[in-house]
Amino acid sequence: MLSSKASSNCHGQDSLYFLGWQVYEKNPFHEVENPTGIIQMGLAENQLSFDLVESWLRKNPDVMGLKNKDGESVFRDLALFQDYHGMPAFKNELVEYMAKIRGNKVKFDPNNLVLAAGATSANETLIFCLADPGDAILLPTPSYAGFDRDLKWRTGVEIVPIHCSSSNGFRISMFALEEAYERAQKLNLKVKGVLITNPSNPLGTTMTKDELQSLITFAIDKDIHLISDEVFSGTVFDSPCFISIMEAAMDSNLKRNTDVLSRIHIVYSLSKDLGLPGFRVGMIYSNNQTVVSAATKMSSFGLVSSQTQYLLSYMLANKKFTSNYMKRNQKRLKKRKEMLVSGLKKSGINCLKSNAGLFCWVDMRHLLCSNTFEAETDLWKKILCEVGLNISPGSSFHCSQPGWFRVCFANMNQSTLQVALRRIKDFVERSSFNYQQNGGSLSRKLISNWVRKLSSADREEQER
Amino acid sequence: SGENKETWEFKLVKGESGRQALDELRQEREHMDHSCTLSAWTSWRLKRKLIMGLLSRKVTCNSHGQDSSYFLGWQEYEKNPYHEVNNPQGIIQMGLAENQLSFDLPESWLAKNADAAGFKRDGQSIFQELALFQDYHGLPAFKKALVDFMAEIRGNKVTFDPNHIVLTAGATSANETLMFCLAEQGDAFLLPTPYYPGFDRDLKWRTGVEIVPIQCTSSNRFQITAPALEEAYQQAQRKNLRVKGVLVTNPSNPLGTTMRRDELDLLINFITDKEIHLISDEIYSGTVFSSPGFVSIMEVLKDRSLEQTPVWERVHIVYSLSKDLGLPGFRYLLSAMLSDKKFTKEYMAKNHKRLQKQQSKLVSGLEKAGIGCLESNAGLFCWVDMRHLLSSNTFEAEMELWKRIVYDVKLNISPGSSCHCSEPGWFRVCFANISEDTLKLAMQRLKSFVDSVAINNQSHQELKNSRKKCRTKWVFRLSFQSFHDREQDER
């Protein structure tokens, strides 16, 4: 009766990533009203800097009231505006803001910018432009759980993972790239491109210039596209600084190949750094005119509201505001991340060293009763239901090694984070206590690992 | 050759239109024959590989539909738009089905309800709440206000459950999404002609679904008949297409008429018999300004007590606030506004009155130029009969006439062929997006044009007769059969 899309499960929404949210929704933590509820640590949102945006809004009531600088109502113009090319003023401000985030080391042309209703929409549209049903996109793991839906569902395109491991900090190696490409070929899938998220979700790390240039070389060699999802580019709070794919492509060696720019596409959004996911502002940037033209027409299916464009073009035009926001926001993110990292360390849990994002990639391998994904799911269930923390298991990010979890830190206030850290500490101590009560061999492995963790990291690698 | 490759690569990188590159490629191919060297072929293939290989089929094919004359007319308008003061010789836009007659009403509501505009509820800022809200189930308050508004439009003869509403970014998005849910690539939907040109993009482009037309003719005011439905279904089968449903726009774009109860009954019987879906695009339901009143498909289902039957789950409605309220809007703002029942009542009454007034101005203006139109009671446009102005009963003649009207008369109206009408000579002319004065001017221009055609035409007398007939036809609109017959004889 219905299409296979509507009736099947291929939208990927039954992943543990989304199931955890559902459990959270039934019993959400509230400092006063529900202090024993589940704390949401699976939502990568930035709620640390609203006060800055709100204060700008208070100082600019006219814009909110849909009036222009002369106090005249622009209601009619905004009500009618549905041009899928987007508001020129808004796009001009956006490209300047994007350049600012990249330290003004690259410049963007507003005519190459296509607006979309969030990065979700931008990613899907880009896939519609670059690939046909049955084609494949290579994606490094671990990667954002939502890609299974955004890239595959309605487009009919396949995802072939590029396996990355903790052995080299989950960096993408040429070997892994080649191996993924070959795997696609064996499956008779035509590879149309590679999609990377930089800074990475869920790792929270930025890519080095070498990594980016290897990717570009790979793309040229295989005659495919390169999509760089840079939605977290505004959340880089520590060194090394952010290097955009555009910057890497400007290198003189690569420039010799004149078509390199026509195969690189950037996705960005205001949901992560400006903390405005509800406003649905996403965008595609591409130097490829055919892609820009097609994507522009496709944006009919998800335009950004004209009022949003109007409001934000004024806000972004205020350079003092954006400079101040970027500086203070990054400071707050850094502080909050350090609070999470040190808190976890006190419980004997380490994180991957990160310099960006709204989350940490946390190593709980030593808490698994066996080196399997079943054990990871068991641990996840315990942490969700007993400890009351919704964190996201590595398997939902298609991580190739069990035991890693993504833990968000920017979507709650400080006291809530402290509650969460306390709960984890109690849980870890309880686990070792339980061992002492039961003395089971499995628990012994658990406690030995935990103890070893506190003493020496090297030995842990040897004994696994 | 090396030189050629550099030139077009340069173009690709420099950002010239990809379409241009493709066109050039095609042109090159036309000049190639068996006398070409292998290296020339290789070079051409390499070019093609790079251009095509880099892009998906969606981008390189034409099924996007934006080359339709419907959109071309807009482009011409954009180049030379009419402005009362700055460009009085410009092209008047009559191809855009927007309602600009009633902005003052929401504007004044906004002025009186500043809190809603300023993201406040009871004086408290709810900015954070709104900035974070991305639940695809939608704002509950908004959906509740929407279902109440939709029920009000239908005279409260039906009620809707907010849990059965899915919000989308406009009806464009709603229609596409429904296609994705109901049909696979290669399946077909039946659509009565003439239909909104945008459907070729919205329903087909990314979904891969086919449209098979249900041919409707002026012989019965373009209503859907049982034989036409069957014929369309058979045609789909002959093309090996699996029919998943029927999509109708009620009130119709471009006709501006509401469907009658017997038509709706016919549709329900058809989809029940064939076990397929029915999508009723009711985006113009709020623009019904005269009798007969609007009858929603839901009302008919209810009256026939079909709620517990399988067909109930196969009927879907598409709606939007773009046509009657004319607003994209922040959802929160709209929910506050739509919940104000006094406002919605007043808005609907005033808006309908203004639409009716403007429509009758258009109709009488056309009449003075000897042009008739399909009698209509809804929509933001009229379905205008210019068959008597065609040099021949062909779509080529229609195109010729359209071009003259756009470039010489400077009115952007939409030709029936862009709406897939089966008969040449019909045009959609919008009236709600321009002021009364602009409409007057447009009618003056049209009259001058028609008069000049009469003077210039060699068979001057014939035309005078047909114009007279045209007026008579208009007067005797009741007898459609004889209208049809006579028209055939005199052309």
Side-chain angles (χ1 to χ4, degrees), chain B residues 3 143 243 425 466:
Chain B
E3 199 187 285
K143 298 213 292 184
V243 176
S466 80

Side-chain angles (χ1 to χ4, degrees), chain A residues 131-164:
Chain A
D132 289 305
D135 288 342
I137 298 283
L138 306 183
L139 206 65
T141 66
S143 57
Y144 169 53
F147 279 150
D148 288 316
R149 169 197 62 196
D150 303 351
L151 308 181
K152 287 173 55 174
W153 191 24
R154 303 193 304 177
T155 61
V157 167
E158 291 299 331
I159 292 179
V160 174
I162 305 165
H163 294 302
C164 302

Side-chain angles (χ1 to χ4, degrees), chain B residues 27 126 153 177 358 381 388 390:
Chain B
Q27 274 169 15
I126 51 163
I153 287 176
T177 297
Q358 193 94 328
F381 32 72
H388 60 290
L390 296 185

Side-chain angles (χ1 to χ4, degrees), chain A residues 3-4 13 84 225 258 278 289, chain B residues 13 15 18 54 66 131 136 180 184:
Chain A
S3 69
S4 55
Q13 205 121 315
Y84 57 29
H225 291 272
T258 45
Q289 284 313 303
Chain B
V13 167
L54 280 183
Q66 201 127 312
Y136 55 31
F180 271 124
E184 306 289 353

Side-chain angles (χ1 to χ4, degrees), chain B residues 188-202:
Chain B
F189 254 77
L190 309 181
L191 257 68
T193 67
Y195 63 77
Y196 165 55
F199 279 150
D200 289 319
R201 172 198 62 195
D202 302 349

Side-chain angles (χ1 to χ4, degrees), chain B residues 121-382:
Chain B
R121 190 202 289 134
D122 305 324
Q124 299 274 50
S125 167
I126 51 163
F127 175 78
Q128 182 148 341
E129 210 181 302
L130 289 178
L132 288 174
F133 187 83
Q134 50 177 338
D135 179 3
Y136 55 31
H137 291 100
L139 266 175
F142 182 53
K143 298 213 292 184
K144 180 75 181 56
L146 265 176
V147 296
D148 288 346
F149 188 65
M150 283 173 73
E152 202 176 334
I153 287 176
R154 290 155 183 73
N156 286 311
K157 283 179 236 156
V158 280
T159 54
F160 297 98
D161 178 354
N163 294 319
H164 288 202
I165 295 223
V166 176
L167 299 177
T168 60
T172 300
S173 181
N175 280 315
E176 192 201 36
T177 297
L178 266 179
M179 284 297 117
F180 271 124
C181 290
L182 304 179
E184 306 289 353
Q185 264 201 10
D187 286 342
F189 254 77
L190 309 181
L191 257 68
T193 67
Y195 63 77
Y196 165 55
F199 279 150
D200 289 319
R201 172 198 62 195
D202 302 349
L203 308 181
K204 290 172 53 174
W205 193 23
R206 306 193 302 181
T207 62
V209 170
E210 292 298 331
I211 293 179
V212 174
I214 304 165
Q215 302 294 1
C216 302
T217 68
S218 57
S219 59
N220 70 338
R221 291 170 70 240
F222 296 95
Q223 287 174 85
I224 302 174
T225 63
L229 274 168
E230 268 309 322
E231 167 55 33
Y233 192 86
Q234 301 300 335
Q235 200 203 353
Q237 307 233 287
R238 279 196 293 272
K239 286 182 168 171
N240 264 325
L241 298 168
R242 184 174 64 159
V243 176
K244 288 315 281 285
V246 180
L247 189 152
V248 298
T249 309
N250 177 28
S252 162
N253 175 10
L255 303 174
T257 53
T258 49
M259 288 179 85
R260 297 178 350 183
R261 206 169 268 266
D262 52 358
E263 268 182 289
L264 295 167
D265 276 327
L266 179 64
L267 279 170
I268 292 176
N269 296 340
F270 182 75
I271 64 158
T272 308
D273 176 47
K274 302 281 192 255
E275 284 182 275
I276 58 180
H277 294 269
L278 177 61
I279 300 175
S280 181
D281 185 342
E282 304 188 346
I283 63 170
Y284 290 100
S285 48
T287 69
V288 179
F289 48 77
S290 67
S291 67
F294 175 60
V295 180
S296 167
I297 188 80
M298 281 306 178
E299 199 187 320
V300 178
L301 284 169
K302 215 179 126 197
D303 291 345
R304 286 171 60 168
S305 304
L306 293 170
E307 289 101 320
Q308 306 302 326
T309 64
V311 76
W312 179 249
E313 287 188 355
R314 294 205 306 272
V315 176
H316 321 277
I317 291 184
V318 169
Y319 181 59
S320 133
L321 294 177
S322 305
K323 300 303 174 182
D324 40 14
L325 273 185
L327 300 173
F330 274 143
R331 305 301 170 223
Y332 178 67
L333 190 76
L334 278 181
S335 81
M337 196 165 72
L338 292 182
S339 307
D340 186 340
K341 300 302 175 203
K342 200 161 146 257
F343 168 77
T344 56
K345 228 182 164 133
E346 188 200 336
Y347 182 89
M348 277 164 66
K350 284 199 171 139
N351 185 41
H352 290 171
K353 230 189 191 151
R354 295 175 187 184
L355 286 172
Q356 176 169 41
K357 195 163 159 222
Q358 193 94 328
Q359 184 250 25
S360 50
K361 282 200 160 54
L362 174 65
V363 172
S364 58
L366 288 170
E367 208 188 294
K368 287 197 187 82
I371 299 173
C373 41
L374 188 73
E375 206 181 325
S376 69
N377 63 327
L380 311 173
F381 32 72
C382 281

Side-chain angles (χ1 to χ4, degrees), chain B residues 384-388 390 394-395 398 401 416 423-427:
Chain B
V384 178
D385 184 359
M386 298 202 195
R387 288 177 292 175
H388 60 290
L390 296 185
T394 61
F395 285 110
E398 181 185 279
L401 177 59
E423 310 170 359
W426 292 88
F427 289 79

Side-chain angles (χ1 to χ4, degrees), chain A residues 229-343:
Chain A
D229 185 341
E230 303 188 347
V231 288
F232 291 100
S233 48
T235 68
V236 179
F237 48 75
D238 217 340
S239 62
C241 62
F242 176 62
I243 300 173
S244 166
I245 190 83
M246 271 318 163
E247 196 189 324
M250 296 297 170
D251 183 277
S252 52
N253 278 337
L254 291 169
K255 250 183 166 163
R256 251 187 272 132
N257 187 317
T258 45
D259 81 339
V260 66
L261 287 180
S262 68
R263 62 175 79 242
I264 293 177
H265 321 279
I266 292 181
V267 168
Y268 181 58
S269 124
L270 298 182
S271 305
K272 300 301 175 186
D273 42 5
L274 280 181
L276 304 170
F279 281 21
R280 311 314 303 145
V281 181
M283 61 213 82
I284 297 169
Y285 187 88
S286 174
N287 290 305
N288 185 323
Q289 284 313 303
T290 315
V291 170
V292 169
S293 165
T296 302
K297 295 183 184 113
M298 285 189 193
S299 66
S300 299
F301 300 109
L303 295 174
V304 179
S305 134
S306 59
Q307 281 136 297
T308 304
Q309 294 189 51
Y310 184 72
L311 180 72
L312 293 179
S313 68
Y314 268 98
M315 193 170 82
L316 294 178
N318 188 329
K319 303 302 176 202
K320 217 169 125 221
F321 167 79
T322 54
S323 297
N324 179 44
Y325 182 93
M326 278 166 69
K327 212 170 55 183
R328 291 176 71 179
N329 181 46
Q330 284 164 14
K331 236 185 190 154
R332 295 175 186 186
L333 287 172
K334 182 172 180 185
K335 193 165 160 221
R336 191 57 69 83
K337 172 224 145 184
E338 279 166 359
M339 199 178 136
L340 175 67
V341 169
S342 57

